[in-house]
Amino acid sequence: MNNPVTSSPITSLPEDVAVDILARVPRCDYPRMSLVSKRFRSLVSSPEIYVRRSSLGCTEHCLYVVLYEWDGGVDRLYTLCWKDKDKGLVLIHGLPDMPRDRSFVAVGLRIYVFCEINSFSIDCTSHTVQHLPRLPVPMSDTVADVIDRRIYVIGYISSKSKAMVVFDTETQTWATKPGMELFDDVYADFQDNFVYDPKESKWETDEMLNSNFWGGNVCVVDDVLYFYDDFCDQELRAYDPERKCLGLVKGLDDLFAEMRCVGCGWAKIASYGGKLVLLFSKGREICCVEISLERRKGSQILGRVDQWSDHALIAGIFSLRNL
């Protein structure tokens, strides 16, 4: 006589009940949960679960990180989990390897990836890929950012000249506007920094920005530009474009002293729900630090370490590509 087939209690729950339960689970656990079964994968990527999360007040900010895995020679996408017992970076399964010559920008629940050959977007609810129209002109070494759900992409169109194009995320189309070509006779000096006004299609220089070398380790939080200098002083600086003032973020001396003590190999900062996240390497480990920011009277900004993970990712040698 054959034994009857039994099923897990949660798999037999009505869909609305299962959605209500899964909506209360931290978002960083969804990549693992999607591997449990086809039903779980469908539920955690459904619009209903995100509507329910919003009504329950369970919405979360998610940080995605691209790491180069030296063992496999590929760039892969991870997400950061801040759970008390399971802090760390979680690999997103089922995605193609990230292209080398590309730029990233997040808009809503999608990550847009722009490269010279094939651009695409990643749905962060289902971790599926949708191909985008090609760039209007072939561009290399691109950088991208978003203003009002429009993505501005700047890159080289020749060895000396740059151009900028705009991708409308609502219509999923490319557009160009007057003033978007950046000719080499103006932009040959890479030490110069420029500010672009999308309403006026106008470029301007900023003397305060040009008086300092910013490199590429920058991010914006609440309209303030932050720069982490990991080459010389290991300091976090903040620039307020409205007040035209530049200063050091105070309160992080112990953090930077610890980083110098362990001899971190590289470091990178990113904006994360009104806070900063700092990732740095320590031997074969990647560490994550969450930093809250407080703007005081005048131009002073105070930083405070809220969370720290010494073992965000272990076993393997990684280089950080993008946040």
Side-chain angles (χ1 to χ4, degrees):
M1 184 174 180
N2 294 329
N3 292 327
V5 177
T6 60
S7 60
S8 171
I10 194 170
T11 61
S12 60
L13 289 173
E15 184 162 315
D16 58 339
V17 177
V19 166
D20 191 74
I21 294 173
L22 295 177
R24 303 168 191 270
V25 176
R27 174 68 177 80
C28 61
D29 284 331
Y30 282 11
R32 293 192 183 100
M33 293 178 63
S34 66
L35 301 176
V36 173
S37 66
K38 290 183 178 180
R39 188 185 187 215
F40 271 44
R41 183 161 58 250
S42 176
L43 287 175
V44 299
S45 62
S46 66
E48 290 78 15
I49 200 168
Y50 289 93
V51 172
R52 186 58 178 145
R53 287 177 66 85
S54 179
S55 66
L56 291 170
C58 297
T59 54
E60 303 172 59
H61 293 279
C62 294
L63 182 71
Y64 286 83
V65 180
V66 177
L67 294 173
Y68 177 70
E69 300 180 5
W70 285 91
D71 293 339
V74 296
D75 288 345
R76 306 186 72 179
L77 189 66
Y78 291 74
T79 187
L80 178 62
C81 178
W82 278 121
K83 286 178 59 179
D84 291 338
K85 296 182 180 180
D86 192 20
K87 295 181 180 180
L89 294 165
V90 180
L91 175 66
I92 306 298
H93 294 276
L95 289 178
D97 298 335
M98 298 295 105
R100 293 290 182 85
D101 183 13
R102 76 285 190 255
S103 54
F104 298 88
V105 66
V107 182
L109 295 175
R110 286 188 174 272
I111 298 173
Y112 289 83
V113 184
F114 299 102
C115 63
E116 185 174 357
I117 301 176
N118 293 313
S119 299
F120 57 92
S121 67
I122 301 171
D123 187 332
C124 295
T125 63
S126 60
H127 293 129
T128 54
V129 171
Q130 176 184 347
H131 291 283
L132 302 175
R134 288 198 174 192
L135 292 164
V137 292
M139 302 168 69
S140 61
D141 296 326
T142 59
V143 293
D145 213 330
V146 60
I147 303 175
D148 296 331
R149 302 189 71 83
R150 292 185 176 183
I151 303 173
Y152 293 76
V153 183
I154 301 176
Y156 283 97
I157 56 176
S158 69
S159 60
K160 294 183 179 179
S161 299
K162 291 183 179 182
M164 183 170 72
V165 292
V166 181
F167 185 76
D168 191 320
T169 60
E170 294 184 356
T171 63
Q172 296 287 291
T173 57
W174 290 99
T176 57
K177 295 168 62 178
M180 291 198 174
E181 292 186 359
L182 318 181
F183 298 103
D184 56 84
D185 58 343
V186 177
Y187 293 89
D189 185 357
F190 295 103
Q191 297 299 324
D192 288 344
N193 294 276
F194 295 82
V195 178
Y196 178 73
D197 185 341
K199 295 181 180 179
E200 301 291 335
S201 297
K202 184 179 179 181
W203 293 90
E204 296 179 351
T205 58
D206 189 309
E207 294 183 1
M208 180 62 75
L209 287 178
N210 289 332
S211 65
N212 294 270
F213 177 71
W214 292 85
N217 207 348
V218 299
C219 71
V220 176
V221 180
D222 295 333
D223 295 327
V224 175
L225 180 67
Y226 292 88
F227 167 58
Y228 175 65
D229 184 356
D230 60 344
F231 291 105
C232 301
D233 302 322
Q234 286 190 303
E235 296 174 332
L236 183 63
R237 304 173 190 171
Y239 174 65
D240 188 332
E242 291 188 1
R243 299 182 180 182
K244 305 289 184 182
C245 58
L246 174 68
L248 293 177
V249 177
K250 305 292 186 180
L252 301 174
D253 294 342
D254 291 343
L255 167 62
F256 297 142
E258 175 70 15
M259 292 174 63
R260 286 191 292 269
C261 181
V262 300
C264 67
W266 51 257
K268 185 77 173 181
I269 59 172
S271 175
Y272 179 66
K275 298 182 180 183
L276 280 181
V277 167
L278 170 66
L279 275 76
F280 64 94
S281 64
K282 184 177 69 173
R284 294 175 65 87
E285 300 179 4
I286 295 178
C287 304
C288 299
V289 182
E290 183 184 80
I291 301 172
S292 61
L293 303 162
E294 178 185 349
R295 300 178 68 171
R296 296 189 170 182
K297 291 183 179 180
S299 59
Q300 189 180 56
I301 297 180
L302 181 67
R304 184 185 70 246
V305 174
D306 288 344
Q307 298 193 75
W308 182 307
S309 172
D310 271 327
H311 312 293
L313 195 62
I314 313 175
I317 302 177
F318 300 87
S319 294
L320 186 133
R321 294 291 199 188
N322 285 86
L323 287 164

